[in-house]
Amino acid sequence: MAYTDSSALAGLIKQAYDRYVEFALRSQPLIRSVADKRPAQQAMPGSSVVFSIYNDLAAVTSALSSETTDPDAVALSDVTTVSVTLAEYGNASLVTRKLQLFSLSDVDPAVADIIAYNMADSLDKLAMETLRGGTNVIYSASSTARTSTATITATDVITAANIRKAVAKLRANKAVPREGSLYWTGIHPEISHDLRAETGAGGWMDMHKYAETGQGQFWAGNIGTYEGAMFIETPRLYRGVDGADQTALATTTVTVAGTSAGLTIGVASSSVIATSAEAGDKISGTGIASTAKISSLSTTGSTTTITVDVANTAAVTATTVVTVTPVTAVYRTIVAGKQALAEAVAQEPNVIIGPVTDRLLRFRPIGWYGVLGFARYREAAMFRIESSSSIQS
């Protein structure tokens, strides 16, 4: 008996696609909101905006010398200035008419959404770059005191004492809290994990164990207040692979040679380097520059391609043994009061749908553009805590 089945009419059997396309996972932009100082009476347009701060007179603690003698006049000190340099920022995409006609999903709303998010994401990173450059730093240390980012080891996780010190220093600096008596604290989730896991007297767990409002107040996505700081948990806080060297990974033999003056080599995707190394780690071997670090790794099939940041000094043969030394990832936690960060804007960034100007009306531009800048306004109103994480990638 013959059946008219899926084999008989195989040409009618096709894959089905969901026309709804999801976006990539995103974190909410929020660092720009720290910039609460803006021009109040800007005199004119310009390539930079200069803010000025009066300096107070020294306190007088001696009584006047005589009832009939005028005290000496005291001149005020010159103002302190902070300059914000303005620059153009933007990004654009050119969508073709052919894509619009052939795509199974409506791409125009998606492109607009992606462009808008790129704008907010980019501005947030600009603000973060400025904010994390502050001069007031606390280096977390598990035992021996640390003196720089490069000395932080994998065991130097954040502690309640670090938060206490930052808040105490801000109060001593007369920094104005951001909300009530609380300072704004941006903390990476992998650092928040260590802070909340700390036990013992004065630790996060101990402080909230018997608090009547602790459970409802402290365990939401906004992780709450502690030691005079309100914590905002976000992966937008900077993480850099720039701490102390760790124990080298097992050596690996190159499987795809690298040319002299080239920037890539290949190793087996099953090797320990391919599975455990990350961008920023050091790499060494014959033909590889002595200062080389991994800038990226990508895997295709059985090969992981390693791109280094310094050109090879000689050919890296397929028998060369290479060593990767992991570098500790260091996270920046920011504790800030009011007016820590300033922002000046000549044109508020916004999404722009450009004109279609080509001869056949096929290219449709959409992008974002803005002119602005950031600067640290009051260094005394911010502290940066640098630490490792016990669960770092």
Side-chain angles (χ1 to χ4, degrees):
M1 181 181 295
Y3 291 95
T4 304
D5 58 9
S6 58
S7 297
L9 294 176
L12 297 179
I13 308 302
K14 304 296 181 183
Q15 287 183 323
Y17 291 89
D18 184 358
R19 297 182 62 215
Y20 183 81
V21 183
E22 295 279 2
F23 292 102
L25 295 176
R26 297 169 171 176
S27 58
Q28 180 182 351
L30 49 79
I31 305 300
R32 188 185 177 191
S33 64
V34 179
D36 57 352
K37 174 60 182 176
R38 296 176 179 85
Q41 297 176 332
Q42 186 169 329
M44 67 201 78
S47 60
S48 62
V49 176
V50 178
F51 297 91
S52 300
I53 303 172
Y54 282 117
N55 292 298
D56 285 331
L57 293 173
V60 175
T61 57
S62 301
L64 294 176
S65 60
S66 169
E67 180 182 354
T68 58
T69 302
D70 274 345
D72 292 334
V74 177
L76 272 64
S77 301
D78 198 3
V79 296
T80 300
T81 60
V82 175
S83 181
V84 178
T85 301
L86 304 180
E88 293 180 297
Y89 297 98
N91 203 358
S93 179
L94 204 59
V95 181
T96 66
R97 181 61 177 157
K98 186 176 180 178
L99 173 64
Q100 293 173 319
L101 293 172
F102 287 8
S103 175
L104 66 86
S105 179
D106 187 359
V107 296
D108 285 348
V111 172
D113 186 285
I114 291 169
I115 289 291
Y117 180 76
N118 178 255
M119 177 181 71
D121 181 45
S122 301
L123 297 176
D124 229 45
K125 288 183 178 179
L126 283 171
M128 184 74 254
E129 286 296 304
T130 302
L131 194 61
R132 72 181 180 87
T135 57
N136 296 320
V137 191
I138 295 171
Y139 299 107
S140 187
S142 56
S143 54
T144 305
R146 307 302 178 199
T147 57
S148 68
T149 305
T151 62
I152 293 178
T153 68
T155 59
D156 294 328
V157 300
I158 198 168
T159 64
N162 298 145
I163 302 297
R164 249 190 313 272
K165 181 177 180 179
V167 170
K169 288 291 188 180
L170 289 175
R171 295 204 195 285
N173 289 347
K174 297 174 280 191
V176 180
R178 289 273 301 189
E179 187 163 332
S181 62
L182 302 174
Y183 293 102
W184 183 93
T185 302
I187 189 168
H188 193 283
E190 293 183 354
I191 300 301
S192 164
H193 165 275
D194 291 330
L195 181 62
R196 292 191 284 177
E198 186 180 6
T199 59
W204 180 287
M205 297 285 286
D206 183 67
M207 292 291 284
H208 296 106
K209 187 182 298 183
Y210 303 108
E212 293 181 5
T213 59
Q215 188 172 8
Q217 187 175 355
F218 294 98
W219 309 125
N222 179 333
I223 63 173
T225 62
Y226 175 58
E227 292 288 359
M230 59 175 182
F231 288 83
I232 306 299
E233 187 181 66
T234 172
R236 290 185 166 271
L237 269 294
Y238 184 78
R239 173 189 184 273
V241 183
D242 50 3
D245 291 354
Q246 300 182 34
T247 303
L249 301 175
T251 55
T252 299
T253 302
V254 172
T255 57
V256 178
T259 60
S260 178
L263 294 168
T264 61
I265 58 173
V267 297
S269 58
S270 58
S271 66
V272 67
I273 288 178
T275 57
S276 302
E278 69 170 320
D281 288 344
K282 297 178 180 178
I283 185 168
S284 60
T286 302
I288 299 174
S290 59
T291 59
K293 291 185 178 182
I294 298 173
S295 56
S296 67
L297 300 97
S298 62
T299 298
T300 303
S302 60
T303 300
T304 294
T305 300
I306 298 174
T307 302
V308 296
D309 62 350
V310 181
N312 300 327
T313 57
V316 183
T317 67
T319 58
T320 299
V321 175
V322 295
T323 301
V324 167
T325 302
V327 177
T328 302
V330 179
Y331 300 74
R332 279 67 164 175
T333 299
I334 306 293
V335 186
K338 288 183 178 180
Q339 297 189 338
L341 187 66
E343 174 188 86
V345 179
Q347 178 172 321
E348 180 63 32
N350 64 292
V351 174
I352 296 172
I353 299 176
V356 180
T357 58
D358 64 293
R359 291 183 177 87
L360 300 180
L361 304 181
R362 295 183 301 159
F363 310 136
R364 301 168 183 269
I366 180 172
W368 67 268
Y369 173 79
V371 182
L372 73 165
F374 298 93
R376 294 185 302 280
Y377 186 64
R378 296 186 189 269
E379 290 283 359
M382 73 186 85
F383 262 81
R384 183 177 73 254
I385 301 171
E386 298 194 1
S387 63
S388 180
S389 169
S390 64
I391 60 169
Q392 65 177 280
S393 302

